[in-house]
Amino acid sequence: MEFRTLRVFVEVVRQGGFSQAARTVFATQSTVSKAVKQLEEEVGLPLLDRIGHRSVMTAAGEIVYRRGLKLLADRDDLSAELDELRGLKRGVLRLGLPPVGSSALFAPVFARYRQRYPGIEIRLMEHGSTKLEDILRAGEIDFAGLLAPMSADFDWQGVRSEPLVALLPQDHPMAARPALRLTDLSEMPFIIFDEGFTLHRLVLERSREAGFEPTVAAESSQIDFMIELVAAGIGVTFLPRMIATQRQHGQVRQVTLKDVGMVWNMTMAWRRGAYLSGAARAWLAMVGEVHGRPDAPPPAGG
């Protein structure tokens, strides 16, 4: 079984189709189809059930996909270890950062890292936490900025903990209160992050724990847009206090939430047991240096 065909199959599943996978692996759709067919012939079982324009994994496909992710990640770890053993002077750091909070938390780390280690190439991608988890689990990045708690598949180092605050229209009766509970807001429409963000799940789970199912007026990935909707009187939204303070709006008021668990815990996460290159360990130490955590790098290998 070749890593090339395995990578193509994994991308077909992850991207949701042959044409999307072809763009990701920089190949033609015909090449991608042939690679998947070759893999099916090697396995001796169909891996995908093609239904119209959609492809659904068979039972065999699910096994190959699950095992394939680990094989590909282990291959990357092997290359990283051997490169370091050869005394590679120039390294690569692969980062996945979320749109929420990265400018305040990680831009200073990024700048200091580049200044100290100019020979390290930094490859950066930005997604919501849900997609970042998938990409990190697949071994395609070294670190991801994720919110705790998270999957046991990952180890992590804390970066910042901030309470969530409610943002209400300034003329709303509850906007003048010093603090609120979620139940006080149960009759208001909620403006929340979309499903790709951990904050989406957190707000809905805490609301249900409080005994109500919120009415969702809008979902978005754009903080400024969400704040403008609040200013227009559409509903209430929730942001980490640090970010809400940075995005002051004349028509919006920030109110503290008293509910337990309405906390934004940002971490720097990596695959449990993964080999961490010198460039990766230097980044983790830099995060600790900038944010006041112990700056000793973890031992190689995790």
Side-chain angles (χ1 to χ4, degrees), residues 79-289:
S79 296
E81 285 194 63
L82 292 175
D83 283 344
E84 229 177 32
L85 189 62
R86 296 185 189 106
L88 192 66
K89 294 181 179 180
R90 298 181 67 85
V92 175
L93 178 68
R94 305 169 301 167
L95 295 176
L97 298 179
V100 180
S102 289
S103 59
L105 295 182
F106 298 118
V109 184
F110 192 101
R112 189 178 298 188
Y113 186 90
R114 288 287 297 139
Q115 183 177 26
R116 191 173 299 179
Y117 306 107
I120 302 297
E121 177 189 353
I122 302 176
R123 298 176 185 170
L124 182 64
M125 60 177 63
E126 186 179 68
H127 294 290
S129 296
T130 301
K131 187 165 185 179
L132 283 179
E133 284 194 17
D134 291 339
I135 296 170
L136 181 60
R137 190 176 285 111
E140 295 183 16
I141 51 178
D142 301 307
F143 295 110
L146 301 179
L147 294 185
M150 67 192 73
S151 168
D153 293 341
F154 307 124
D155 284 322
W156 54 274
Q157 175 176 305
V159 177
R160 183 74 169 258
S161 182
E162 286 281 327
L164 291 179
V165 296
L167 272 62
L168 294 93
Q170 68 165 355
D171 56 356
H172 193 279
M174 286 187 285
R177 293 193 191 181
L180 293 168
R181 294 191 181 277
L182 277 173
T183 49
D184 297 325
L185 304 168
S186 61
E187 300 301 318
M188 289 189 70
F190 280 18
I191 301 161
I192 61 176
F193 284 95
D194 63 35
E195 292 183 0
F197 292 78
T198 301
L199 281 175
H200 173 97
R201 183 175 70 249
L202 188 150
V203 170
L204 293 183
E205 286 179 354
R206 295 295 176 268
S207 298
R208 289 160 186 161
E209 289 170 5
F212 70 96
E213 184 70 30
T215 298
V216 177
E219 296 181 8
S220 177
S221 62
Q222 303 298 318
I223 295 175
D224 290 338
F225 178 63
M226 296 164 71
I227 293 174
E228 289 297 337
L229 290 180
V230 173
I234 302 300
V236 57
T237 195
F238 306 91
L239 289 175
R241 181 178 57 192
M242 172 190 73
I243 297 171
T245 300
Q246 293 173 340
R247 305 290 183 96
Q248 296 283 354
H249 190 294
Q251 303 301 314
V252 173
R253 292 294 175 268
Q254 172 183 321
V255 183
T256 301
L257 290 167
K258 295 188 286 186
D259 301 79
V260 174
M262 288 294 280
V263 180
W264 182 77
N265 292 309
M266 178 57 69
T267 75
M268 186 54 55
W270 63 97
R271 284 186 302 116
R272 179 157 297 186
Y275 175 78
L276 295 181
S277 68
R281 283 180 281 130
W283 170 263
L284 204 58
M286 187 70 71
V287 171
E289 182 180 312

